[in-house]
Amino acid sequence: MAMWRHQLRVPGVALLVTLLAFGGARAAGSAAIANAPPSPETLSVTGFGWGHNRGLSQWGSLGYAVDHGWTYSQILDHYYSNTDAGTSDAETIRVRLTEWDDIGVTVSHPDGITVDGTEIAALAVRVTPTGSGYQIETAPNCSGAWTVAATSARPVTLDPGDTEPLVTCSAGGTLRWYRGRVVVTRGTDNEVRTVNHVGVDDYLRGVVPRESPASWGDQGEGAGMHALRAQSVAARSYALSEHRYSYAETCDTTSCQVYGGHAYQFPDQARAELEHPNTDQAVADTSGEIRVDTESGMSARTEFSASTGGATLDADFPAVVDAGDHTGSNPVHQWTHQIRTTSIEAAWPEIGDFTGAHVTERTGVGHSGGPAVTIRIEGSAGRLDVSAASFRSRLRHHGACTDPEVSTGCIKSVYVFLGAESEHIDDTPPGGLTVGDRGTVIVVPAPVDESAPVEPPPAEAAPPRADTKPSIRSVADRRTVPAGVSNGGDGWVWLATADGDVIEINGAPDHGDVAGLPLNAPMIDIAARADGTGFWLVAADGGVFSFGTCRFHGSTGGRAVSAPVVGMASTPSGKGYWLVSADGEVYPFGDADHHGSMAGVPLNKPMIGMVSSPSGQGYLTFASDGGVFAFGDAAFKGSTGGARLDSPAVDVRAHPDGRGYWIVTEKGSVHAFAVDDLGDLSTKRLTTPVVGFAVTPDGAGYQILQADGDLWSFGSAR
């Protein structure tokens, strides 16, 4: 029986202004390095810009407008050189209001509300889902008391009584004003959604000032308005290129474009206006204008980010030199941070002790060779070539930086220079630049050792490092702990932390995470598809976050649940899932059917998780005393309920073919029912409790995760 231990050291998290998913590490060899130099404690990283470097730079737009005298049309032609100016006759856009997912909506209006074309006297209306229909209630205000007024089998449309916006009233007391109509409807998987049907320009009035500061319009004696006009066209084109759902084109979060409506008011605070005269004017000045893809003739998906640092990347739009980004007021054009090398070792433990890193490939567009493409990381156990995007993605957290004041992302872009490379930077702004100019293409790779890499020994021959205790708490200011672990694909492993970070192990692809985003509740589990193409994260309030090929089918996030959610199971099709709460209630979504639950039944101990039956027509729920409860066609294979465990059960997983299941306890004991017992940690003296358990796609191995980040592998797991 094989048992291996992985060392995981994970940095803390912080919010990035621009969040987009990045790819994982590129394939690379690993070579043993004889007489490796001592590991330095930090790596100096000098970088340029902030964001993904694709398409328009917001700071660059300001620089071109104020410093270079460009019009917004010239700015757009430069950043989106394979598009043409065009127009759209779209009058309205449908925006998913994610706060109200699965719960309907509560709205108010001082002059009354029109419901499905019928004006009612009440000043507040609440619409909630009931089975396949909706219940409509009325009240004098959002506080109640509520009276059932009608039911409907069709989507419910709420219109304001006049031109004043509708107000949505959240359970926590926050008010938001929205122009247009609010519709409660269902998607193709019967998920309940609340959608704002709003005029395109009214939508942009709520978007543009949240993307570019409205005050820019006052700079350069009004020249800055061209930056706001460019942002308006880019935001309009991006929104109209979206077709995300059957019920809406776009959403209101950073996954789409941030949209908060007309205004908002938090409890006990003054109302805050989100619209501004400058951005209102920029939207009006460009009304109907979009960028059109030259090949398809469709609205282009015009991405943008805060700052490129001096050059964009060659993606959907050709790479160009960005002289505008050099504008003097840009606070992120150039920056330098010291990265803890322990964070690099935690992100790529296969290198051993970190000894150095350098850029081996650049794009060739921009000063000093342009943004990095490939970075070589070297250590006592080998070397690894990774994409610059992966380098940024894995080390983006503020915990990777030695400066405690850095709280908005440590590595802000892929335009980076490592260590002594910063001595060769020439950031002189280019002169005589024309629209669409790609600049002088000069590839400036760092010197590399091109000797043939030595194949690394097989994992079985690689003992744990004796000089370091594997721990997830290697970063001093680490504030969260692991929440769960999941397996999929070719031995890939994903570890989720309570704050929404996801750590990729064994070369697992980076599908994304929610690290740095404000969460209503901590994460409690992660569930990956067997083929490794995506996963779901689930929070204690039942909030569900989907990544890769996994689709969102609904959640209990934002609505009251009877007890904290403790587990999740996907249907075999991947088109639905169940959530289970500590009191035994089961919440189905998508194609998952409800087959019963232990809600209302006295339990000896709380629930800890659940698994699906092979057909998806049943499931099992599990309690912390090892009790097992079968519903639908799920087969009961045994339990430890009533027996004395060495510690409470904390997690459960089923064999992929459904033949049986494993239950793991806090002290690492594994109890196997109709499946192979591949070993456990019951004989180990663990210093931290077990918090997670994952089974390989072939069912011939599993992994046990401790709260300090130690990951123990058994059988075929690695």
Side-chain angles (χ1 to χ4, degrees):
M1 154 176 55
M3 178 177 72
W4 308 111
R5 189 183 199 182
H6 289 254
Q7 170 180 286
L8 300 175
R9 282 179 269 166
V10 185
V13 299
L15 176 65
L16 288 178
V17 168
T18 306
L19 280 177
L20 285 170
F22 297 99
R26 290 189 174 187
S30 177
I33 298 179
N35 301 317
S39 174
E41 293 184 358
T42 63
L43 172 68
S44 177
V45 179
T46 296
F48 294 83
W50 191 358
H52 53 67
N53 286 66
R54 298 191 295 270
L56 176 144
S57 161
Q58 291 160 328
W59 280 104
S61 296
L62 179 66
Y64 281 127
V66 174
D67 301 335
H68 296 259
W70 285 16
T71 67
Y72 74 92
S73 296
Q74 289 176 300
I75 294 170
L76 294 166
D77 285 343
H78 181 63
Y79 288 115
Y80 306 118
S81 59
N82 59 345
T83 70
D84 297 318
T87 59
S88 170
D89 57 4
E91 297 181 356
T92 62
I93 189 170
R94 300 171 299 167
V95 186
R96 171 186 170 189
L97 305 181
T98 55
E99 176 186 4
W100 298 98
D101 281 359
D102 305 308
I103 57 177
V105 74
T106 301
V107 301
S108 69
H109 194 278
D111 298 321
I113 301 166
T114 299
V115 181
D116 290 337
T118 300
E119 187 174 347
I120 60 175
L123 303 183
V125 173
R126 182 168 68 185
V127 181
T128 54
T130 56
S132 60
Y134 310 89
Q135 179 173 276
I136 303 168
E137 300 169 277
T138 61
N141 54 58
C142 288
S143 300
W146 295 99
T147 301
V148 177
T151 60
S152 176
R154 303 174 60 185
V156 179
T157 300
L158 307 170
D159 280 302
D162 55 24
T163 57
E164 285 297 310
L166 279 173
V167 183
T168 63
C169 316
S170 72
T174 298
L175 307 179
R176 284 195 179 275
W177 283 258
Y178 289 98
R179 300 183 185 277
R181 298 173 293 161
V182 172
V183 178
V184 182
T185 186
R186 277 179 162 84
T188 54
D189 293 323
N190 205 40
E191 67 274 25
V192 177
R193 294 291 180 264
T194 298
V195 182
N196 184 199
H197 292 222
V198 61
V200 172
D201 284 0
D202 281 341
Y203 162 74
L204 292 172
R205 292 170 68 186
V207 169
V208 176
R210 304 194 74 181
E211 296 290 356
S212 293
S215 60
W216 283 1
D218 300 325
Q219 294 195 25
E221 298 181 348
M225 284 295 296
H226 282 289
L228 299 183
R229 294 182 186 113
Q231 178 69 75
S232 299
V233 176
R236 182 183 294 109
S237 185
Y238 185 94
L240 295 180
S241 73
E242 297 267 83
H243 301 283
R244 295 199 176 214
Y245 321 104
S246 60
Y247 51 83
E249 283 76 41
T250 190
C251 67
D252 61 353
T253 71
T254 53
S255 295
C256 305
Q257 292 186 122
V258 178
Y259 169 66
H262 166 65
Y264 68 92
Q265 183 175 356
F266 293 134
D268 302 321
Q269 295 187 23
R271 169 170 157 165
E273 302 294 323
L274 291 174
E275 300 170 355
H276 188 279
N278 281 357
T279 46
D280 284 354
Q281 186 62 52
V283 170
D285 290 345
T286 61
S287 184
E289 293 186 38
I290 60 172
R291 301 300 297 189
V292 177
D293 185 272
T294 54
E295 294 185 1
S296 68
M298 304 294 289
S299 181
R301 192 170 185 268
T302 43
E303 291 183 285
F304 46 85
S305 62
S307 169
T308 67
T312 67
L313 293 178
D314 196 1
D316 290 341
F317 311 102
V320 292
V321 170
D322 189 359
D325 199 79
H326 291 255
T327 189
S329 59
N330 182 355
V332 289
H333 175 70
Q334 182 173 348
W335 44 266
T336 299
H337 294 312
Q338 301 298 319
I339 307 299
R340 291 185 175 91
T341 56
T342 53
S343 295
I344 299 174
E345 293 166 357
W348 294 280
E350 57 267 45
I351 68 167
D353 292 313
F354 174 82
T355 58
H358 53 261
V359 177
T360 60
E361 182 184 2
R362 296 188 179 276
T363 65
V365 178
H367 68 82
S368 310
V373 175
T374 306
I375 292 173
R376 176 162 292 178
I377 306 169
E378 297 180 337
S380 60
R383 70 186 183 206
L384 190 67
D385 288 348
V386 303
S387 69
S390 178
F391 190 80
R392 178 199 175 200
S393 174
R394 296 197 184 190
L395 299 176
R396 66 177 178 265
H397 313 298
H398 70 263
C401 287
T402 59
D403 184 355
E405 299 301 318
V406 176
S407 59
T408 52
C410 196
I411 299 181
K412 296 177 170 63
S413 75
V414 296
Y415 210 147
V416 293
F417 298 81
L418 310 180
E421 293 173 351
S422 62
E423 300 173 6
H424 306 289
I425 295 174
D426 179 9
D427 186 29
T428 304
L433 197 65
T434 59
V435 172
D437 196 342
R438 290 173 56 86
T440 303
V441 179
I442 305 174
V443 179
V444 186
V448 299
D449 177 9
E450 295 299 341
S451 59
V454 178
E455 287 298 318
E460 290 78 5
R465 290 166 57 194
D467 59 340
T468 307
K469 181 188 182 299
S471 174
I472 202 169
R473 299 186 63 84
S474 62
V475 177
D477 64 354
R478 182 66 188 172
R479 292 174 287 178
T480 60
V481 297
V485 63
S486 195
N487 227 306
D490 185 19
W492 298 331
V493 182
W494 294 267
L495 182 151
T497 63
D499 54 14
D501 196 7
V502 176
I503 310 304
E504 301 81 26
I505 306 168
N506 294 342
D510 183 354
H511 295 305
D513 55 45
V514 291
L517 295 181
L519 300 174
N520 295 324
M523 294 296 158
I524 53 94
D525 207 358
I526 180 172
R529 293 180 65 100
D531 62 6
T533 59
F535 53 72
W536 293 276
L537 292 175
V538 60
D541 65 349
V544 176
F545 305 84
S546 57
F547 300 88
T549 60
C550 291
R551 291 186 57 187
F552 178 81
H553 302 292
S555 75
T556 62
R559 80 187 202 205
V561 292
S562 54
V565 169
V566 295
M568 175 191 206
S570 169
T571 60
S573 68
K575 296 181 179 179
Y577 41 73
W578 300 270
L579 305 180
V580 62
S581 58
D583 62 357
E585 183 62 274
V586 174
Y587 302 90
F589 300 94
D591 68 355
D593 293 326
H594 193 275
H595 300 288
S597 75
M598 296 300 292
V601 179
L603 299 172
N604 294 327
K605 294 293 181 180
M607 293 294 175
I608 60 163
M610 68 185 305
V611 299
S612 171
S613 69
S615 68
Q617 297 304 307
Y619 43 76
L620 298 120
T621 60
F622 298 78
S624 65
D625 63 354
V628 180
F629 307 90
F631 300 91
D633 68 356
F636 176 81
K637 301 291 186 179
S639 75
T640 62
R644 186 176 181 82
L645 300 176
D646 62 356
S647 55
V650 293
D651 207 354
V652 58
R653 289 292 185 267
H655 193 283
D657 66 11
R659 71 180 69 170
Y661 41 81
W662 294 268
I663 300 173
V664 65
T665 71
E666 191 175 84
K667 290 187 176 180
S669 294
V670 174
H671 300 268
F673 298 91
V675 288
D676 293 332
D677 183 347
L678 304 173
D680 62 19
L681 304 178
S682 58
T683 61
K684 303 288 182 182
R685 299 187 64 179
L686 304 182
T687 58
T688 59
V690 167
V691 295
F693 188 73
V695 175
T696 58
D698 62 3
Y702 50 69
Q703 288 158 318
I704 302 175
L705 173 67
Q706 288 180 248
D708 63 359
D710 282 2
L711 185 67
W712 300 83
S713 298
F714 300 82
S716 66
R718 58 185 175 90

